[in-house]
Amino acid sequence: MADATRTPMSRGKKVTLWVVSILVVVLVAAALLAPTIYRAVFGGSSDVAAPSISQTTSATTASGSDDVSGEWSVDSGYAGYRVDEVLQGDDVTVVGRTEEVSGSFTIDGTTLTEGTIEVDVASIATDNSNRDDYFVNDAMEASTYPTASFELAEATELPDDVTSGETVSVDVTGTLTLHGVSQTVTATLDVVVDGDTAQIVGTVPLTFADYGVDAPSLGFVEVEPEGRLEFSLDVTQS
């Protein structure tokens, strides 16, 4: 015999329960699929190697120069950033670069007295245009801050063997201006001179918050708060 005291569920309650169930399923599916969607939209790990002195310059044509004093200007090369992400426990390295780089340097004897590098931020690109749109428009606000620059802050003595044609290393102090904020930083440079040309490879550690740049946080992906700027430049003596 049926329980006469049971109250049938109203149509409204049935609809509400059905809607809630659908929402729960959708949210669970979204949580499970979000990392897959992120990979599809923004790409995976990058296999772009860090900049280094080319073997052709340092080994094959290493003739050096007896006199590096004078003006040097950037002919070609690239600059950009490298940052790590953690996507559900997997390490993902993102590399963005541009060849829109200009700059010049002054050397007096073997003392680097002046130097400036300027980078077109809007042209920095990775292997994924969706990520690039976010980086340029949201993170870097390139329409307001179109360039980034590094300017030598103090004279730096180059190693004595800078004229040997072998790779030498030197740390230089400068002012990095990024996203409209300027900070004093130290750039580590590898340099090789071949006659009146040279290659300069450099890295600068970077903490995004120092420049008012917010790293994206999507729950399942964590962008490391620190990265580095990197560049490889071919320069010519005037």
Side-chain angles (χ1 to χ4, degrees):
M1 180 182 294
D3 187 352
T5 62
R6 176 180 294 176
T7 302
M9 182 180 293
S10 67
R11 180 179 178 82
K13 289 183 178 179
K14 289 182 179 179
V15 171
T16 300
L17 182 59
W18 179 79
V19 170
V20 170
S21 299
I22 293 296
L23 287 175
V24 169
V25 171
V26 169
L27 290 173
V28 170
L32 294 174
L33 292 175
T36 301
I37 295 172
Y38 180 87
R39 288 187 188 277
V41 174
F42 292 103
S45 60
S46 172
D47 58 359
V48 179
S52 62
I53 296 295
S54 67
Q55 291 300 310
T56 299
T57 302
S58 61
T60 306
T61 61
S63 59
S65 172
D66 292 334
D67 185 11
V68 295
S69 185
E71 301 294 323
W72 296 74
S73 58
V74 174
D75 279 342
S76 60
Y78 62 82
Y81 69 91
R82 183 179 296 265
V83 64
D84 293 329
E85 297 176 350
V86 179
L87 178 59
Q88 281 200 330
D90 294 332
D91 293 331
V92 178
T93 300
V94 176
V95 177
R97 289 179 176 174
T98 178
E99 295 181 357
E100 298 298 321
V101 186
S102 60
S104 61
F105 309 89
T106 302
I107 300 176
D108 183 4
T110 56
T111 301
L112 180 63
T113 58
E114 294 181 81
T116 301
I117 302 173
E118 190 168 279
V119 180
D120 176 42
V121 173
S123 62
I124 296 176
T126 65
D127 56 358
N128 188 282
S129 60
N130 292 297
R131 179 190 287 114
D132 298 339
D133 287 342
Y134 175 85
F135 173 81
V136 170
N137 299 316
D138 297 297
M140 299 304 299
E141 299 180 284
S143 60
T144 303
Y145 311 106
T147 61
S149 64
F150 175 85
E151 184 173 358
L152 187 71
E154 58 186 47
T156 302
E157 185 66 26
L158 300 175
D160 291 339
D161 55 348
V162 69
T163 61
S164 68
E166 300 297 324
T167 300
V168 299
S169 298
V170 61
D171 290 339
V172 299
T173 300
T175 301
L176 175 64
T177 300
L178 186 69
H179 195 236
V181 179
S182 297
Q183 300 280 353
T184 300
V185 299
T186 298
T188 299
L189 307 180
D190 286 336
V191 183
V192 63
V193 177
D194 179 25
D196 60 356
T197 65
Q199 183 185 4
I200 303 173
V201 170
T203 59
V204 181
L206 174 67
T207 300
F208 297 111
D210 290 347
Y211 299 88
V213 176
D214 295 325
S217 177
L218 303 178
F220 53 85
V221 59
E222 177 184 355
V223 179
E224 296 296 329
E226 298 178 347
R228 69 184 187 189
L229 302 182
E230 53 187 29
F231 54 87
S232 176
L233 306 175
D234 296 319
V235 300
T236 301
Q237 186 180 28
S238 301

